[in-house]
Amino acid sequence: MSYVVTVEARLPDDADELDALQQVGASALLEQGFDAVEGIEGPDGIEVDVLEALVAVHPRGAVVKVFVHAPTLETAEDAVGSVAAEVLERSELLADWLVESSEVRLPLDLTRESLEAADGPDAPPSDLRVRRARHTAGADPAGSAPSLDLTGPGSDPAAAADGDDDDRDRADLDAQLRALAPRLASFGARSFGEPGSAEREIPAPGSADRAGLPDGGRRAGFGSPAAELAAGALVYASEVLIDELYDDVRTLADEETTVAECRAELWHLARLPSRFGLAYDELFARRFLVTAIALTTRFTDGSFRRLGCLAEELALNLLLQQARSTLDLYGLLGEEVAESLDRFAHEVSEDMDLASLYDDEEEDGADGHPAAPGATASVIGTWFTPFDAERYVHPYAVDEEAGRAGPQD
């Protein structure tokens, strides 16, 4: 069974924040440390195979997505947590860092379903991709048990009888999403169009107040229930987006192809401007995934200031789509919530003309087919270039003019 274990590591509370150069160095040390690990011996001698690790460093620490084969979720979490602590201890420069958490993060409804079904006959599929397919399509690929419809009873008599249960489930998910809102630590009421709402003071980095928060970040007020629900949906959508982008990367790697030529279904990369589809190869997909990780990390660790590059603008667009889809699926995308998300998009976006990238009538791809990679290299080659010298782009993804070769090299 494959799992994606999210490891959160942080600096000691009394340590100064990492500057840009130190973040690059820490990223390199963490990548080298995890690359040296091929397997882990878990509890009772159980072997856990390490497939890959993706690192995103921020001023107060790092988030590492570790992809492993393990017999159980608990084994994966314990083994990866242990090896993360060992990687830190082996590096003199990282020895004081702390492993704050090591966990497999499932979407909220699937977590609840797993706990309730346990090992019984209604247990959900063990494969996370199959679970998400059931969750998003309304039924699992085999056509068995449909997922819970939270959009209302409709015309089905059986559904009408269960209407009260659906309302309770919707209210429960509403509460769970709101509980996630404080983790969107870089934002508060003003980002969701609530200028008259007071926000709690942001504790200084490393202060006792900040360290004492359950999510390790600031706890901001979001003004209205709609804004709070929108914020929680963005946190939830971040986890889903990262997991599904990783699936897209693996699909392209397995088929050794591009998005335009891929025969398998893709979660998100197929939603990027289709006329550049032949340029979206495995390397591009990896860089886009790391960019999305870096962006959502800054959203949740309190360090976000502005978008770094066009690829982050596109990742933000996918994140907003995911948040809206999740809310709509459960009947929670009311008018006020939708407006809150629109205001957030306006607040964070760089007002790039994304519509022109999606316009198939442009010279490249005017015949309705994806343009050749060579024809789009000059365009794609700028997507990971910082907007200016003050913007942050993850070292793995940054373009040639910022110190890295472009995707076509």
Side-chain angles (χ1 to χ4, degrees):
M1 174 88 185
S2 296
Y3 293 99
V4 183
V5 182
T6 300
V7 176
E8 295 193 7
R10 64 176 178 85
L11 279 68
D13 293 338
D14 58 352
D16 294 332
E17 289 192 347
L18 302 176
D19 60 29
L21 183 59
Q22 290 171 326
Q23 290 179 49
V24 172
S27 179
L29 290 172
L30 287 169
E31 289 172 357
Q32 292 171 6
F34 279 97
D35 285 346
V37 180
E38 296 181 356
I40 311 169
E41 185 174 316
D44 300 324
I46 298 174
E47 290 294 326
V48 176
D49 295 325
V50 179
L51 305 177
E52 187 175 12
L54 297 175
V55 178
V57 176
H58 54 84
R60 295 298 306 167
V63 177
V64 186
K65 296 282 184 177
V66 185
F67 305 91
V68 298
H69 277 313
T72 66
L73 181 149
E74 292 78 12
T75 301
E77 291 180 335
D78 291 344
V80 171
S82 297
V83 80
E86 186 174 343
V87 166
L88 295 177
E89 290 174 2
R90 288 183 176 180
S91 172
E92 180 179 350
L93 297 177
L94 305 178
D96 292 337
W97 285 35
L98 307 172
V99 176
E100 195 161 56
S101 64
S102 173
E103 58 184 352
V104 175
R105 296 175 178 174
L106 298 177
L108 298 174
D109 60 316
L110 300 184
T111 303
R112 184 183 59 181
E113 182 184 6
S114 297
L115 291 172
E116 292 178 348
D119 295 326
D122 295 327
S126 59
D127 190 301
L128 299 186
R129 188 182 180 99
V130 176
R131 291 190 192 188
R132 284 200 299 272
R134 174 198 286 190
H135 168 60
T136 56
D140 66 19
S144 57
S147 63
L148 182 62
D149 180 8
L150 298 180
T151 59
S155 59
D156 186 346
D162 292 335
D164 290 342
D165 289 339
D166 287 354
D167 288 341
R168 283 193 293 270
D169 285 326
R170 186 184 297 110
D172 182 45
L173 286 167
D174 180 289
Q176 292 184 65
L177 287 175
R178 292 180 193 282
L180 293 175
R183 295 189 181 185
L184 200 69
S186 288
F187 306 97
R190 292 181 181 85
S191 299
F192 291 88
E194 303 286 343
S197 301
E199 294 186 41
R200 302 182 189 178
E201 183 179 356
I202 304 172
S207 70
D209 287 342
R210 180 186 178 95
L213 291 179
D215 57 10
R218 87 180 189 192
R219 187 181 298 281
F222 290 95
S224 70
E228 185 178 49
L229 183 56
L234 287 166
V235 175
Y236 172 89
S238 297
E239 291 291 333
V240 177
L241 177 66
I242 298 305
D243 281 347
E244 293 180 350
L245 278 174
Y246 173 73
D247 283 345
D248 285 353
V249 172
R250 293 295 296 270
T251 297
L252 293 183
D254 290 344
E255 294 197 9
E256 298 182 351
T257 188
T258 64
V259 168
E261 299 166 322
C262 185
R263 296 183 179 182
E265 291 294 326
L266 296 169
W267 292 104
H268 295 284
L269 292 180
R271 296 183 182 183
L272 295 177
S274 60
R275 61 196 181 97
F276 306 112
L278 288 173
Y280 305 148
D281 57 10
E282 181 191 349
L283 177 56
F284 170 89
R286 287 174 177 271
R287 296 170 70 194
F288 192 82
L289 169 60
V290 170
T291 297
I293 293 173
L295 177 65
T296 54
T297 297
R298 302 200 318 277
F299 278 8
T300 55
D301 72 4
S303 67
F304 179 80
R305 297 296 177 267
R306 294 179 294 176
L307 295 180
C309 60
L310 179 56
E312 286 198 346
E313 183 92 31
L314 290 165
L316 172 65
N317 190 43
L318 293 181
L319 177 65
L320 289 163
Q321 289 182 41
Q322 181 64 54
R324 291 188 178 100
S325 296
T326 298
L327 291 165
D328 188 45
L329 178 65
Y330 297 127
L332 297 173
L333 188 62
E335 182 177 345
E336 292 184 357
V337 178
E339 288 178 356
S340 292
L341 285 171
D342 289 342
R343 291 165 182 162
F344 176 84
H346 178 73
E347 174 77 14
V348 177
S349 173
E350 290 289 320
D351 295 324
M352 303 294 295
D353 185 14
L354 295 185
S356 65
L357 293 177
Y358 285 90
D359 186 358
D360 288 334
E361 299 304 316
E362 297 286 336
E363 181 178 353
D364 290 334
D367 58 356
H369 298 287
T376 62
S378 60
V379 177
I380 299 295
T382 64
W383 286 11
F384 300 93
T385 299
F387 288 135
D388 58 50
E390 302 300 319
R391 307 297 180 99
Y392 175 82
V393 177
H394 193 279
Y396 181 88
V398 71
D399 276 322
E400 184 175 15
E401 51 264 58
R404 180 191 161 84
Q408 304 302 319
D409 294 345

